[in-house]
Amino acid sequence: MSPLILRTATRVLMPLMVLFALFMLVRGHNDPGGGFVGGLVVSAAYALLAFTSGVAEARRALIVDPERLLGVGLLVALFTGLSSALAGEPFLTALWWGGLGSPLFFDIGVFLVVIGVVLTMTFTLAED
Amino acid sequence: MTLVLPIVIPLLAAALLLVVPARAVLQRSVALTASAGQLIAGLALFRQVQVDGYLVLQVSDWAAPFGITLVADVLSSILVVAVGIVGVAVGASSFAGVDPRREAYGYHPLIQVLLMGVAGAFLTGDLFNLYVWFEVMLMASFVLMALHRTSEQIAAAFKYVTINLLASAVFLTGLGLLYGSAGTLNMADLAAIWPARNEPVLDLVLATLFLTAFGIKAGLFPLFFWLPASYPTPPAPIGALFAGLLTKVGVYALIRVFSLLFRGGPPLPLQLLLWLSVATMIVGLVGALAQRDFRRVLAFNLVGHIGFTTIGLPLGTTAALAGSLLYIVHHILVITCLFFVAGVLLQLRRTTDLGRLGSLYRDHPGTAVLAMIPLFSLAGVPPLSGFVGKLAVVQGTFGAGAYGPGAAVLVVSLLTIVSMARLWDEAFWKPADAPPVSPRPAPLLLVPVAALGALILGMTVAAGPLFETTTRAAGQLLDPQGYIEAVLQSGLGRGE
């Protein structure tokens, strides 16, 4: 069983980390940050949970299978790239609506892919 | 849009395969549909290139030397069609049954990723991007090879990944040197500025590094030893996929990089490539004659015939290069088909050891006739595609005045006949009292063999137009001015 202090701290840290990751994701639209680093922070949060409460508990908390998350993320990023092709621009060209751009959606895709990849690896390694 | 489809379709399929339920029929259908889509996209690309000569797309709308460019010329489009054909054959073969453990651990998505990597390598116009596609292929193929986790497969995968990582490191070193000196890795941009730079020493170093890196990937002598050690171990469809496509990416990279960068460059590496091609042919076929296992004979034949596909480049004439390009097409179809034949043998007799095979013609005449087409085509029996390909290579070699290598091509063709005749004799003709394990071949396993056999026969019928097409491709490669202009002037062009 993991130490009590770490387990208790995780309960506080996890929501903060996930919130911070979402902040990083949105911030990446105009400033340093983005889906990749945000995804890593979310993965770190779940890895922490897996270390303290076990992989089964972490899988339950994630709700979705990480491999499926990986697929969904790829699809989101891919469709963002394809939407520019539908708009008559070359594949992956950024589209802008006022201040909001399609790179945000691409980044959301990256965010999900990173979570999926890192957690698939972490969970598999921890389960063995 | 046509230009990204051969890359996007397999990626889409790989993502979908991770999301949809893991039911075998569903997974196989998605994979097969995607491969069919990739083939159709490839054919559309081929048709458009026939009209326009070059298709260029600046990804993300970044102008040419700065962003990543996708380019299709005649050679790329032919090879993308070949990727589609092999993909469909592999997709169809999965319906005959895949080891459930493989299927659970990402067999189908990995194949799609591999197909995406190969198509990407054929279509990219940027050297660093080519490196990235190499890595995509390497990762996917490594996992596919090691998925079953028998000690034999792990050992094979270990050899495979070690030598290929070495090749990647050599390639990357070359890229670093080139970028440090030229300041660009866009192939068209490099082709425009590099040959005029006149840096003989750096040229020699770079040409040698690229020759080593791509030579390993292609399986050229003396760096081919990893190939017969690893290709015969995975199941037949994976073996077919690797044998058909992966080495050709190395050959393609050699042709592309040398024709763009080292046109008037140092004669030494090109001279070396000529004799390496000859050595590859001879060593591969002599090795094949020494083997006693159907799949290992095929792997050595694969190596040997890589020499046919690289010999046209150093000779530098349109006819010789066109002959080699035609041989690439033939080789992809035939070697893929033969690895599927090996799969049928495994299903019928549980072994590919020639000593324990035999009587297949007596027991399964239909299967034997289907297997005869690729076997005799690789041997170069007229009028099959091997004869057409070998004739084109021989004519090109002698036409370029290279009588020594030309003679080697003829001798090696003879050795191929011996090697294939031995396979036929040992596996199909020789009487054997071994009781057949399975009474009938699974019809679904025969589908890819029959379909590829039909294409091999079709290649004979269409030999004329096909040779004209590869002649056009060779003409484009030997005069890269069109390539350079097409890429650099589409800088601000929208779409294609």
Side-chain angles (χ1 to χ4, degrees):
Chain A
M1 211 51 207
S2 57
L4 178 65
I5 296 177
L6 187 59
R7 244 185 309 148
T8 318
T10 303
R11 287 208 190 133
V12 185
L13 280 174
M14 249 201 78
L16 284 177
M17 286 171 87
V18 173
L19 267 179
F20 180 65
L22 289 174
F23 164 70
M24 291 292 270
L25 169 65
V26 180
R27 183 187 143 91
H29 191 262
N30 291 329
D31 294 301
F36 189 85
V37 63
L40 284 179
V41 174
V42 172
S43 312
Y46 279 92
L48 199 60
L49 187 66
F51 291 146
T52 54
S53 311
V55 176
E57 177 62 33
R59 278 195 191 276
R60 242 195 319 279
L62 189 63
I63 301 165
V64 211
D65 184 25
E67 276 173 42
R68 201 147 287 177
L69 219 49
L70 168 59
V72 173
L74 270 179
L75 286 177
V76 171
L78 193 59
F79 278 114
T80 312
L82 283 177
S83 64
S84 49
L86 291 181
E89 306 274 340
F91 181 59
L92 281 174
T93 308
L95 303 173
W96 295 91
W97 310 279
L100 185 71
S102 66
L104 179 67
F105 296 99
F106 188 82
D107 238 10
I108 293 173
V110 173
F111 181 75
L112 296 175
V113 170
V114 171
I115 300 174
V117 170
V118 176
L119 287 183
T120 305
M121 291 193 285
T122 316
F123 289 170
T124 313
L125 287 174
E127 272 165 348
D128 278 352
Chain B
M1 191 63 203
T2 333
L3 206 43
V4 289
L5 281 180
I7 301 173
V8 166
I9 291 172
L11 178 60
L12 182 67
L16 273 179
L17 286 165
L18 292 170
V19 178
V20 297
R23 284 221 318 276
V25 179
L26 190 60
Q27 295 263 324
R28 293 168 188 175
S29 311
V30 171
L32 181 59
T33 313
S35 289
Q38 197 188 21
L39 176 58
I40 292 167
L43 288 170
L45 186 67
F46 180 75
R47 251 191 57 199
Q48 216 168 331
V49 168
Q50 290 298 311
V51 178
D52 299 343
Y54 297 94
L55 275 188
V56 179
L57 175 73
Q58 311 292 353
V59 176
S60 297
D61 212 11
W62 288 88
F66 308 110
I68 289 170
T69 310
L70 297 180
V71 200
D73 62 356
V74 177
L75 175 61
S76 308
S77 65
I78 295 173
L79 291 173
V80 169
V81 173
V83 174
I85 292 171
V86 176
V88 169
V90 172
S93 76
S94 71
F95 281 93
V98 184
D99 174 22
R101 258 176 58 200
R102 273 178 186 275
E103 222 158 18
Y105 287 104
Y107 174 85
H108 297 294
L110 282 166
I111 285 181
Q112 293 300 322
V113 171
L114 188 63
L115 292 172
M116 170 181 78
V118 178
F122 289 148
L123 288 176
T124 184
D126 183 282
L127 274 181
F128 190 77
N129 197 232
L130 180 64
Y131 169 78
V132 174
W133 290 124
F134 271 157
E135 294 304 291
V136 170
M137 285 186 290
L138 180 60
M139 274 188 279
S141 54
F142 174 56
V143 183
L144 276 174
M145 194 176 274
L147 258 182
H148 200 62
R149 296 193 286 185
T150 64
S151 63
E152 190 197 18
Q153 284 175 357
I154 298 282
F158 184 71
K159 284 174 205 152
Y160 173 79
V161 83
T162 310
I163 190 77
N164 274 290
L165 274 180
L166 182 72
S168 296
V170 172
F171 184 21
L172 197 58
T173 312
L175 288 182
L177 280 174
L178 186 58
Y179 188 69
S181 177
T184 178
L185 286 176
N186 182 290
M187 293 188 204
D189 202 24
L190 278 172
I193 61 168
W194 188 254
R197 285 290 283 273
N198 196 20
E199 298 195 55
V201 178
L202 192 57
D203 240 16
L204 186 62
V205 172
L206 283 174
T208 313
L209 285 173
F210 289 142
L211 180 60
T212 312
F214 302 146
I216 292 176
K217 302 263 179 202
L220 277 182
F221 175 84
L223 301 165
F224 66 89
F225 49 83
W226 58 273
L227 197 154
S230 55
Y231 277 19
T233 56
I238 309 265
L241 181 62
F242 287 9
L245 295 179
L246 291 188
T247 48
K248 305 310 177 298
V249 182
V251 174
Y252 167 82
L254 267 178
I255 292 174
R256 177 67 74 204
V257 169
F258 275 78
S259 67
L260 285 177
L261 256 64
F262 305 117
R263 268 171 287 156
L268 187 64
L270 275 182
Q271 207 62 40
L272 195 62
L273 179 60
L274 177 62
W275 292 107
L276 286 181
S277 306
V278 171
T280 308
M281 294 193 270
I282 294 171
V283 173
L285 264 298
V286 171
L289 289 176
Q291 294 302 321
R292 297 285 309 152
D293 179 278
F294 193 89
R295 286 192 286 179
R296 290 184 63 84
V297 173
L298 290 187
F300 273 96
N301 265 293
L302 165 62
V303 170
H305 289 91
I306 287 294
F308 284 79
T309 64
T310 51
I311 200 166
L313 176 65
L315 293 175
T317 63
T318 313
L321 191 53
S324 275
L325 299 183
L326 187 66
Y327 205 84
I328 294 181
V329 179
H330 146 74
H331 197 237
I332 291 177
L333 295 178
V334 168
I335 271 294
T336 312
C337 190
L338 280 171
F339 270 82
F340 278 119
V341 170
V344 177
L345 298 190
L346 272 179
Q347 188 244 332
L348 290 176
R349 295 285 157 92
R350 296 271 183 278
T351 179
T352 52
D353 183 355
L354 287 178
R356 290 159 59 200
L357 287 172
S359 305
L360 279 165
Y361 183 73
R362 186 193 64 201
D363 299 342
H364 308 284
T367 310
V369 168
L370 281 182
M372 217 168 109
I373 297 171
L375 277 173
F376 284 28
S377 174
L378 191 66
V381 174
L384 294 163
S385 67
F387 172 71
V388 179
K390 286 200 174 78
L391 184 66
V393 172
V394 170
Q395 278 182 340
T397 320
F398 280 115
Y403 295 105
V409 169
L410 288 176
V411 171
V412 169
S413 301
L414 186 66
L415 290 179
T416 314
I417 297 178
V418 177
S419 168
M420 288 300 117
R422 232 184 102 231
L423 279 189
W424 173 256
D425 185 43
E426 297 266 337
F428 293 91
W429 206 245
K430 167 187 83 180
D433 41 30
V437 179
S438 165
R440 288 170 62 83
L444 280 170
L445 276 178
L446 291 177
V447 169
V449 178
L452 288 167
L455 284 174
I456 291 168
L457 293 175
M459 208 180 138
T460 312
V461 179
L466 207 55
F467 188 64
E468 267 167 39
T469 312
T470 60
T471 306
R472 273 192 69 197
Q476 283 187 335
L477 289 167
L478 293 174
D479 179 24
Q481 213 50 47
Y483 183 95
I484 296 169
E485 277 165 20
V487 173
L488 294 183
Q489 285 175 6
S490 83
L492 298 171
R494 295 276 152 155
E496 285 144 34

